[in-house]
Amino acid sequence: MKNQPITFLTDAVLITAVVTVGRADTILKAVRNAGAMGGIVHLARGTGIRERLGLLAIAVEAEKEVVSVITASDYQDFLAEVIYNAGELGAPGNGYLTVTALERMATYIPEEAAARLARGRHE
Amino acid sequence: MPTRYRFSEFQRATGTTRPEARFGQLFPEPERDADGRILRLKPIVSKVTSQEVVRILQPYAASRFGEQCHAVIPLAVYLVLFQLLILRERFEDSWLITGGLFAVIVGLMFFMEGLKLGLMPFGTVIGSTLPRRSSLPVVLIITLLLGIGVTFAEPAIGALKTAGQNVLVEKAPYLFALLNEWSDTLVLVVGASVGLAAVVGTLRFLYGWSLKPLIYLSLFPVLGLSLYCALRPDLASALGLAWDTGAVTTGPVTVPLVLALGIGIAAAAGKGDSGLSGFGIVTLASLFPVTGVLLLLLFVASTHTPAEIIQAAMAPAVSGAADLAWHETSPGLEIIMGIRAILPLVLFLFLVLSLMLRERLANPAEILLGIAFTIIGMCIFNLGLTYGLSALGGSAGGLVPMAFMEIDGHADSPIYGYGVGLSLAIIFAWVLGFGATVAEPALNALGITAESLTNGVFRKRTLIISVSVGVACGIALGLAKLIFQLPLFWMILPGYLLAIVLTYFSSEEFVNVAWDSAGVTTGPITVPLVLALGLGFGSATDAVEGFGILSLASVGPIISVMITGLWARYRMNMQVKAAAAVEGAL
């Protein structure tokens, strides 16, 4: 195993959306269409709104999908809006999203992007 | 060195982006004690406005409504277009039929949602706890009773009773007796057969029996009894009904509830994870009722003479046709039928749960609402069945023969020459069968299971197409049976003999998928439509009875799926051989 110097990426945010089961694919598609890379989906079960709604609860699925997308903080509002609209989070009972600042992240940096990074330092 | 700010931070700081609000401002002031410490938060909202209720319910209702429209509308449009364009005949009561179809869509929407909310929770809880708490015989007795309950609750069963009103007592006295005077006994016998099938199917899960010998064993008495009835002219007319009941029984209530219990029992015994779990019950539940109905037929025939039945049928027609009680005429009758279909099943499930298992369900209000939905849906569906599906099917069925033969009251019939018209009628039936099956959601689910079960040898699309072709050919054949007045038995016998031979040569997976596909395809829309079509067609062509189409539509896919399976296996073997040959050459 070869040790490689790690490059930390800063100013990253995590956008987490909790949506009705089945919506995650729509959201990830919208995220990709907006030019972002994509994200991951977990299954989850929520409580709260169903208990509050009484019999109306039948219209709200207890099964939820949690979509996590990481992006640069520069684009957080743009991407949050894309997810908000794709998930129809403006309608009651459809879920919510949060934006969390990430301290640092690290991953493979593609060569083309690494070159851009290097140029940025010299300028 | 100057401090560097990011542009996005600058935007945020100057408030040029989207509006922001402090989350805490959404909450009302919390309850505090004397020292100002928070005791309890107050919820953000205390009540939901009516506008919000609409916004929550609208997408929920719209998606369910759309689902049912998707199943009903293409078929209805096809029938209407065929009648208008090919037969050039206008509809009588077109508004009534449209209203009826709308009722079918709304009824099924409520029924399916109610089933999910109200009945399935019972099925899941009973299926997972009963087998662990009670001994096997007790569980099997409950399975048997459940089979009876679900059969009464099956929406398509109502179509059988509707069909009974159109049978002429003089021509087929025993058929008439079974569908009218004995109709409740008929459903009971069918239900008991379904229950028995569920018991045998469950035992099969438990002990890992192969499906093949079970098929041979259950076909033997069915074909034997059918042969006996086919040879007696007075009984032969009821043969179509007996074979059709098999297709009617396996619908949206029976399959999931009985499967939940069967799989629960197998899982409790630690045998739940074989890939074939869940298969077989549907097959047996479509074969056993045929035997049951035939036995009932023999019983009726041994206690009543045709003359007695005709006399009994004629008597009330003279005296009491005028003043029927409200629950014996149309809207009231459907509502009573709906309640009578669902309530016994619900009571039975409730008793098992509360008395035997001492379990309580999680959301009683939601379950009550679900049961209410099921009953409302059943009532609306029954209304729609009478005015929409049966009327549409009957009307189309009564007019299709016009294409090739003379029909009383239609001066311009036959519209086409005998050959052209006959081909048109057969093609009509074929396309109807294909279209109705391709769209069936249960078939899609079976396709996914089949694909994973056969490791992709059998693709989902291949299965859907081969089942649809099988059903289409069966329905076309059924129509031919009515046109040429062929004896049903001599059409079913070769079909099942061929199916037996194919079963012998096919592997266990394909046998399971093929035999189950027959029962899966006949849902609550196809069954009433095809029944009504056959009966309308039958009465227009002066056939004795219009049953039998569904039974041929059940044999069709069994044969077509197994042939496709054998072909797929043959091709795979050839590929393996070819690959080996290439390797050897290298």
Side-chain angles (χ1 to χ4, degrees):
Chain A
M1 207 171 72
K2 206 171 78 182
N3 273 333
Q4 284 189 326
I6 187 167
T7 306
F8 285 114
L9 298 171
T10 59
D11 296 286
V13 293
L14 168 70
I15 305 180
T16 310
V18 178
V19 293
T20 308
V21 77
R23 276 272 166 78
D25 283 341
T26 326
I27 289 178
L28 285 178
K29 207 170 161 191
V31 164
R32 281 196 304 274
N33 283 343
M37 258 182 300
I40 54 172
V41 181
H42 326 257
L43 282 176
R45 201 167 62 81
T47 57
I49 184 169
R50 299 186 89 244
E51 283 67 17
R52 200 164 285 287
L53 282 175
L55 277 183
L56 259 186
I58 56 162
V60 181
E61 284 269 1
E63 298 290 313
K64 301 289 179 197
E65 278 172 338
V66 181
V67 186
S68 305
V69 177
I70 291 178
T71 190
S73 63
D74 309 49
Y75 312 121
Q76 60 179 10
D77 286 358
F78 164 68
L79 216 57
E81 198 168 309
V82 167
I83 293 174
Y84 186 82
N85 289 328
E88 291 177 43
L89 299 181
N94 280 359
Y96 60 85
L97 68 79
T98 58
V99 181
T100 319
L102 299 179
E103 178 69 27
R104 342 194 103 189
M105 67 173 286
T107 178
Y108 168 70
I109 300 171
E111 283 171 21
E112 193 191 324
R116 201 175 297 133
L117 214 60
R119 272 204 308 276
R121 274 211 189 110
H122 290 301
E123 277 159 15
Chain B
M1 191 176 141
T3 322
R4 285 172 65 165
Y5 290 105
R6 298 180 144 268
F7 182 59
S8 54
E9 281 165 20
F10 167 74
Q11 273 187 323
R12 199 175 297 280
T14 52
T16 48
T17 52
R18 282 81 173 172
E20 287 176 358
R22 277 190 347 104
F23 192 25
Q25 284 179 327
L26 261 57
F27 290 85
E29 189 55 28
E31 287 169 31
R32 291 175 192 274
D33 64 6
D35 303 328
R37 274 186 302 228
I38 296 176
L39 286 172
R40 193 175 183 279
L41 293 183
K42 282 190 182 151
I44 294 179
V45 278
S46 56
K47 70 171 175 46
V48 186
T49 64
S50 54
Q51 222 177 343
E52 281 170 330
V53 170
V54 172
R55 286 184 76 187
I56 292 174
L57 283 183
Q58 194 258 330
Y60 167 74
S63 69
R64 270 108 186 135
F65 188 74
E67 238 166 64
Q68 300 306 331
C69 283
H70 189 75
V72 175
I73 287 181
L75 277 180
V77 166
Y78 172 68
L79 282 182
V80 170
L81 283 184
F82 190 84
Q83 186 158 340
L84 290 181
L85 298 180
I86 310 284
L87 302 177
R88 294 171 214 154
E89 192 69 20
R90 296 191 44 200
F91 274 95
E92 293 158 29
D93 304 328
S94 58
W95 284 109
L96 204 58
I97 292 185
T98 314
L101 286 179
F102 185 73
V104 166
I105 294 173
V106 174
L108 272 183
M109 177 179 106
F110 273 106
F111 185 78
M112 291 306 215
E113 192 60 18
L115 212 56
K116 193 184 114 193
L117 290 173
L119 290 183
M120 286 312 146
F122 281 105
T124 336
V125 173
I126 294 179
S128 60
T129 49
L130 180 71
R132 275 185 275 125
R133 299 258 181 95
S134 309
S135 63
L136 189 62
V138 176
V139 178
L140 291 181
I141 287 170
I142 290 191
T143 312
L144 185 72
L145 292 175
L146 183 74
I148 300 174
V150 291
T151 305
F152 273 95
E154 203 54 72
I157 282 286
L160 272 186
K161 295 184 183 169
T162 319
Q165 293 154 5
N166 303 330
V167 174
L168 290 175
V169 67
E170 297 91 343
K171 281 188 179 171
Y174 286 124
L175 179 63
F176 181 86
L178 281 183
L179 283 172
N180 291 285
E181 201 182 335
W182 293 78
S183 70
D184 288 331
T185 322
L186 179 76
V187 181
L188 191 69
V189 165
V190 171
S193 312
V194 170
L196 202 64
V199 168
V200 176
T202 304
L203 286 174
R204 177 182 110 85
F205 294 162
L206 270 183
Y207 299 114
W209 295 340
S210 159
L211 187 60
K212 289 183 185 184
L214 284 180
I215 290 175
Y216 303 145
L217 282 177
S218 43
L219 271 179
F220 183 68
V222 181
L223 291 175
L225 279 173
S226 301
L227 176 66
Y228 176 74
C229 293
L231 294 178
R232 278 184 56 180
D234 53 336
L235 297 180
S237 61
L239 213 52
L241 169 74
W243 281 89
D244 277 4
T245 49
V248 175
T249 50
T250 44
V253 190
T254 311
V255 175
L257 271 179
V258 168
L259 274 189
L261 196 54
I263 292 176
I265 295 169
K271 302 228 171 91
D273 45 358
S274 114
L276 292 176
S277 279
F279 280 98
I281 287 188
V282 172
T283 304
L284 298 175
S286 45
L287 285 178
F288 282 17
V290 185
T291 319
V293 173
L294 287 175
L295 287 175
L296 177 69
L297 173 68
L298 289 179
F299 173 74
V300 174
S302 67
T303 49
H304 296 68
T305 62
E308 277 171 27
I309 293 168
I310 295 173
Q311 210 173 11
M314 290 307 187
V318 186
S319 61
D323 41 57
L324 286 166
W326 67 271
H327 59 83
E328 284 168 13
T329 55
S330 184
L333 180 70
E334 275 87 359
I335 291 168
I336 295 287
M337 262 167 66
I339 294 172
R340 266 181 47 189
I342 306 293
L343 269 190
L345 175 63
V346 171
L347 279 180
F348 171 69
L349 289 174
F350 182 76
L351 286 179
V352 169
L353 200 69
S354 55
L355 293 184
M356 292 193 57
L357 300 178
R358 298 182 196 289
E359 285 273 335
R360 302 191 61 188
L361 287 165
N363 288 313
E366 227 169 84
I367 285 176
L368 274 180
L369 183 74
I371 291 168
F373 273 8
T374 320
I375 293 177
I376 293 171
M378 190 74 159
C379 296
I380 301 177
F381 177 78
N382 278 338
L383 278 173
L385 198 65
T386 315
Y387 295 108
L389 280 184
S390 294
L392 186 66
S395 150
L399 289 173
V400 168
M402 238 172 62
F404 60 89
M405 61 182 275
E406 216 166 289
I407 298 288
D408 294 341
H410 293 283
D412 52 346
S413 62
I415 305 174
Y416 305 95
Y418 186 74
V420 178
L422 197 64
S423 330
L424 268 177
I426 301 277
I427 291 172
F428 160 79
W430 200 93
V431 173
L432 179 75
F434 191 86
T437 314
V438 155
E440 191 70 46
L443 185 57
N444 199 33
L446 184 72
I448 295 169
T449 320
E451 192 169 316
S452 66
L453 204 59
T454 59
N455 297 324
V457 173
F458 216 133
R459 306 296 298 273
K460 189 181 104 186
R461 235 184 103 70
T462 320
L463 180 85
I464 293 180
I465 300 267
S466 66
V467 170
S468 303
V469 167
V471 173
C473 292
I475 289 186
L477 211 64
L479 206 68
K481 173 231 165 209
L482 290 181
I483 296 171
F484 301 113
Q485 317 245 350
L486 303 169
L488 180 67
F489 180 69
W490 299 111
M491 302 179 74
I492 284 182
L493 183 69
Y496 274 100
L497 287 181
L498 179 59
I500 289 176
V501 172
L502 288 169
T503 303
Y504 180 76
F505 286 109
S506 295
S507 64
E508 185 73 23
E509 290 86 4
F510 287 116
V511 170
N512 278 281
V513 173
W515 282 84
D516 267 23
S517 67
V520 162
T521 50
T522 41
I525 297 162
T526 325
V527 166
L529 201 61
V530 170
L531 270 183
L533 197 75
L535 293 171
F537 199 93
S539 66
T541 51
D542 274 333
V544 180
E545 42 93 28
F547 289 103
I549 300 187
L550 282 175
S551 55
L552 288 165
S554 303
V555 204
I558 300 176
I559 297 172
S560 66
V561 169
M562 277 196 288
I563 289 179
T564 319
L566 285 175
W567 170 243
R569 203 173 61 175
Y570 170 77
R571 273 222 331 234
M572 203 181 67
N573 285 345
M574 289 308 280
Q575 275 171 3
V576 170
K577 262 186 205 158
V582 170
E583 234 162 71
L586 292 172

